Amino acid sequence: MPDEPRLLPWSGPEGKHCYLITDHHGGPISRLADVTESTQLHMGHQLIDHALTLLPDTQPGDLRYLAECLTEALADALRIAESRGMRLKDLN
């Protein structure tokens, strides 16, 4: 019997959540999702570091772009947290 669906770290058509339903842990899609999550979190950390350096002397137009990037990174991080939280419930 398959485990609970795993929320994947990318969106499907029309921006909707994508889920993986499998009973094979460590399959190719699971590994790709793990690598994608790791990459997204790493990029989020880099973006925060960049924002902290940039913010004190930034022009308003540049701030909008930075805010858009930070919003995207936060959405990725929240999707990862939701996915991992759902998988933690399965362990209990």
Side-chain angles (χ1 to χ4, degrees), residues 7-88:
L7 177 62
L8 295 172
W10 51 79
S11 297
E14 301 172 6
K16 295 181 181 181
H17 287 334
C18 272
Y19 293 92
L20 173 64
I21 300 171
T22 182
D23 55 357
H24 298 105
H25 298 288
I29 301 299
S30 291
R31 289 192 308 271
L32 176 61
D34 291 341
V35 168
T36 301
E37 287 179 352
S38 178
T39 301
Q40 288 172 328
L41 291 173
H42 178 73
M43 289 172 59
H45 283 285
Q46 287 183 319
L47 185 56
I48 288 170
D49 291 342
H50 179 67
L52 292 172
T53 302
L54 193 65
L55 282 174
D57 302 313
T58 304
Q59 300 297 317
D62 294 335
L63 287 177
R64 178 176 175 82
Y65 178 70
L66 178 60
E68 290 170 353
C69 292
L70 288 168
T71 300
E72 185 177 325
L74 178 58
D76 289 342
L78 291 174
R79 181 178 292 131
I80 292 166
E82 181 181 351
S83 175
R84 290 182 180 183
M86 290 178 355
R87 286 183 278 152
L88 285 176

